[in-house]
Amino acid sequence: MEWMRVDGWLLLQASMYFVILTCGLITSISSGLVRQDFGGTCVLYGNVNCTTANTTTTVGCVVFGEATSICVFIIAVNLLISVLFGIFMCVYHLYYLIRSRTLIRIVFQLWLKVLLASSVISTLVTLVSACMLTVGLSKWCTGVESFVGPEEGHASLCSMTQSSNWLWYLSDNEQPVNANQYYDLYVTAETTC
């Protein structure tokens, strides 16, 4: 049974990098889908101006998005750092995991200082991305709350605006955009980031 012996720490680290890779992929896809739903406009930190038709319960809102670089940064950070770095580190650790079956104490042959420094940097940049996502969504929900009223709170108001009686218009477009799941997607991105 000599071939079944592997280093448990390497297996744990490879598994953790696989989880990081998966979370980064989910965050990037969720944020990208919201951006695509709003026609390329980044609604994080954006403003909204809503009007209600007297004859119906339909609410029409004009979206004034902020710089798209915010959304691009969040998507790019999670793709480059979480996904690509995660893939590289998974392969790296799996390679040493395979080698650990024949070599004893292979952990000491790893480039621990380089791995530690790169992991700290990637964690800090991902944390900045997560904070930008959280604060941006909170600012967006505050804008929606200023129209609807503060009695229900951020989460219920933002999730309520996903309903079919809310129409979202871009500031430079006459046609409504299909943004029926933007809040659920951003909450998913926040959770996995």
Side-chain angles (χ1 to χ4, degrees):
M1 289 297 194
E2 184 71 26
W3 59 274
M4 291 187 65
R5 185 180 53 125
V6 294
D7 191 334
W9 286 109
L10 286 175
L11 183 62
L12 178 66
Q13 287 175 352
S15 301
M16 288 175 52
Y17 281 114
F18 181 75
V19 169
I20 290 169
L21 179 150
T22 305
C23 289
L25 195 60
I26 292 170
T27 302
S28 297
I29 290 172
S30 298
S31 299
L33 286 175
V34 173
R35 186 168 177 239
Q36 181 182 3
D37 286 347
F38 279 100
T41 302
C42 184
V43 297
L44 297 176
Y45 299 96
N47 295 316
V48 62
N49 185 10
C50 299
T51 57
T52 305
N54 291 336
T55 58
T56 64
T57 60
T58 302
V59 179
C61 296
V62 178
V63 176
F64 300 99
E66 287 295 314
T68 59
S69 61
I70 294 170
C71 288
V72 169
F73 177 79
I74 291 170
I75 294 168
V77 160
N78 283 289
L79 275 178
L80 292 176
I81 292 185
S82 298
V83 175
L84 293 180
F85 181 72
I87 289 172
F88 172 75
M89 295 306 287
C90 277
V91 169
Y92 181 80
H93 280 82
L94 288 175
Y95 168 74
Y96 275 102
L97 188 64
I98 292 169
R99 288 197 57 204
S100 73
R101 293 186 309 187
T102 58
L103 297 174
I104 298 174
R105 304 179 63 87
I106 196 156
V107 175
F108 297 109
Q109 295 178 9
L110 298 174
W111 298 348
L112 292 179
K113 290 180 184 178
V114 174
L115 290 177
L116 182 63
S118 62
S119 294
V120 166
I121 291 170
S122 66
T123 301
L124 290 176
V125 174
T126 304
L127 181 64
V128 167
S129 168
C131 290
M132 289 174 68
L133 182 63
T134 301
V135 172
L137 183 60
S138 178
K139 185 173 184 309
W140 170 259
C141 288
T142 301
V144 172
E145 182 181 282
S146 68
F147 170 71
V148 178
E151 64 273 355
E152 295 186 47
H154 287 320
S156 62
L157 288 175
C158 281
S159 63
M160 180 182 72
T161 61
Q162 296 182 122
S163 68
S164 59
N165 61 343
W166 284 71
L167 298 175
W168 298 99
Y169 297 92
L170 299 178
S171 58
D172 58 352
N173 196 351
E174 298 291 325
Q175 297 296 323
V177 295
N178 181 15
N180 293 336
Q181 296 180 337
Y182 80 92
Y183 184 74
D184 291 339
L185 289 170
Y186 269 144
V187 168
T188 302
E190 270 186 317
T191 304
T192 57
C193 200

